[in-house]
Amino acid sequence: MSKETERKGWMGLLARAPAAEVHRLWSESGLAPDHAYLRAPEVGGVMVRGRAGATGAAFNLGEMTVTRCALQLSDGRVGHGYVQGRDKRHAKQAALIDALMQGAEAAMIRTQILTPLTEAETSRRQTRAARAAATKVDFFTLVRGED
């Protein structure tokens, strides 16, 4: 897996994770790296586009609120965080985690933060799939036989 693909994975995970869960895990890690903002957490909007049937012509679905943050650690590593909604703390923590994942702390961050977030996301997906499966109806057709 390329570094770019791996980074997309953890940035996506951090963006999808509930803010309270990211904050709890970040607080438990005890990390507080020195950093300077390249772009302080700010709230904005993005246009969400969709496709009918996933293959049709693209259309503007609507706008979504997003918070972004860019920062630089004292050793020069740069981190970015983009999250849905207006939670500036979530965007900052995502950016800090992104920056730390690019250095020696990566294994510790993966163990203490990313793995628990991945497990929680998997559990949420399985719960949602089980609820959907409980409402599944199998239809079948009886064909009258020819004698």
Side-chain angles (χ1 to χ4, degrees), residues 31-86:
L31 294 169
D34 289 333
H35 63 278
Y37 288 116
L38 299 174
R39 185 178 307 260
E42 60 186 357
V43 178
V46 296
M47 179 60 67
V48 178
R49 298 189 40 93
R51 291 185 182 277
T55 58
F59 63 93
N60 291 337
L61 184 62
E63 292 184 4
M64 180 174 84
T65 304
V66 175
T67 304
R68 68 179 177 178
C69 178
L71 49 79
Q72 185 172 25
L73 301 182
S74 57
D75 64 4
R77 288 178 283 172
V78 174
H80 301 277
Y82 290 85
V83 298
Q84 181 179 348
R86 300 176 166 275

Side-chain angles (χ1 to χ4, degrees), residues 7-132:
R7 188 173 186 201
K8 283 180 183 179
W10 76 62
M11 290 182 79
L13 176 65
L14 291 166
R16 291 186 306 272
E21 209 170 331
V22 173
H23 178 64
R24 180 183 61 79
L25 292 168
W26 177 256
S27 297
E28 289 173 1
S29 75
L31 294 169
D34 289 333
H35 63 278
Y37 288 116
L38 299 174
R39 185 178 307 260
E42 60 186 357
V43 178
V46 296
M47 179 60 67
V48 178
R49 298 189 40 93
R51 291 185 182 277
T55 58
F59 63 93
N60 291 337
L61 184 62
E63 292 184 4
M64 180 174 84
T65 304
V66 175
T67 304
R68 68 179 177 178
C69 178
L71 49 79
Q72 185 172 25
L73 301 182
S74 57
D75 64 4
R77 288 178 283 172
V78 174
H80 301 277
Y82 290 85
V83 298
Q84 181 179 348
R86 300 176 166 275
D87 194 331
K88 292 180 179 181
R89 181 177 67 178
H90 187 188
K92 176 186 173 184
Q93 289 169 345
L96 284 166
I97 292 168
D98 178 46
L100 290 171
M101 280 298 293
Q102 298 172 53
E105 303 91 345
M108 190 264 296
I109 294 288
R110 188 176 309 283
T111 302
Q112 292 185 4
I113 298 174
L114 298 181
T115 299
L117 290 176
T118 301
E119 291 169 354
E121 182 177 58
T122 300
S123 175
R124 283 191 303 274
R125 285 183 178 180
Q126 289 173 344
T127 300
R128 187 171 47 239
R131 272 197 315 254

